[in-house]
Amino acid sequence: MDALKKKVLVARRAPAAVIERLAAHFEIDAVPDDRVLPPDELRARLQGKAGAYITGTERITAELLDACPDLRAVCTMSVGYNHIDLAACTARGVLVTNTPDVLTETTADFGFALLMATARRMSEGERLLRDGGWKSWAWDFLAGAEVHGTTLGILGMGRIGQAIARRGRFGFGMQVVYHNRSRLAADTEAELGARYLAKDELLRQADHLVLVLPYSAEAHHCIGAAEIALMKPTATLVNIARGGIVDEDALAAALRKRLIAAAGLDVFEGEPRVNPALLTLSNVVLTPHIASATLPTRQAMALLAADNLVAALTGAVPPTPLNPQVLSA
Ligand code: DGY
């Protein structure tokens, strides 16, 4: 063992190529079983570590940072970073990186697949078939909502939102409307054929609404009873962002009363626990946070997180830093 090598924690099971890459530079403490470390154990294992390779399941709080003064870099294998107190990291000079771009198209594919599955009642149809409920043909049997040519609403028009917009516009001839904290540049809007709307207007106009905004305190439950009440009774709601964006109790109540037609959810508040009210409904498609889950994409995310960690601790500029100001400080 090289006493001069910096120590890093690999908090979850990672591809062999990641371990190989990190091992060339660091002494690795890889958590042997693939479980989520409870906060106390995470804190204990981070003692003496200069870097942490984490995923969306490890929470990095100010309290944890104070207890781990050697920590200089936190590299998450995820584009979302709401599990990391970024301000606290920056204040303590801890560099944080995430894994944008490499998952954009894959995640957009899934968002669109979930929209299709939800609007066209695919899970409901499969459940019925497996349960022996397919008795014959009927003109309105499992009739769902039209997708092509309808209005696609996107809340959160970042990279993934734009990739979904392209699929809707160029693949399905949809009218694309969106709302975002900041409006896109005119040439990007023109390229996507996307029209900016105020949030309430977006909710009113969308036939299918896809949520792709980052989670933050202000985004918490930003889709609740009042927002759902603005939507069309025929509308589909798809969430591939973070569970906390939707008030799940309000959504379950709305789905039960058919205030909107259906929902497709890949993310949940408190996941992997799923709100029991959602589990009882037939007009919701539920998937276990897998929007970026293809092997090539997950490998690319993992290697990018490793590259970030190597750069962060060897004096190079990491490819995708979230608080680059730490580098210049
Ligand atoms: C991400 O990258 O943020 C995805 O949600 C997977 O965790």
Side-chain angles (χ1 to χ4, degrees), residues 89-107:
C89 286
T90 306
R92 290 158 182 77
V94 176
L95 187 74
V96 181
T97 66
N98 67 339
T99 58
D101 301 320
V102 290
L103 81 179
T104 298
E105 299 300 328
T106 299
T107 305

Side-chain angles (χ1 to χ4, degrees), residues 18 29 44 66 71 94 103 116 191 199 258 267 298 323:
V18 163
D29 173 15
D66 287 339
L71 198 60
V94 176
L103 81 179
M116 295 287 289
E191 183 236 318
K199 184 180 157 197
R258 306 275 162 170
V267 286
R298 286 287 170 85
N323 54 355

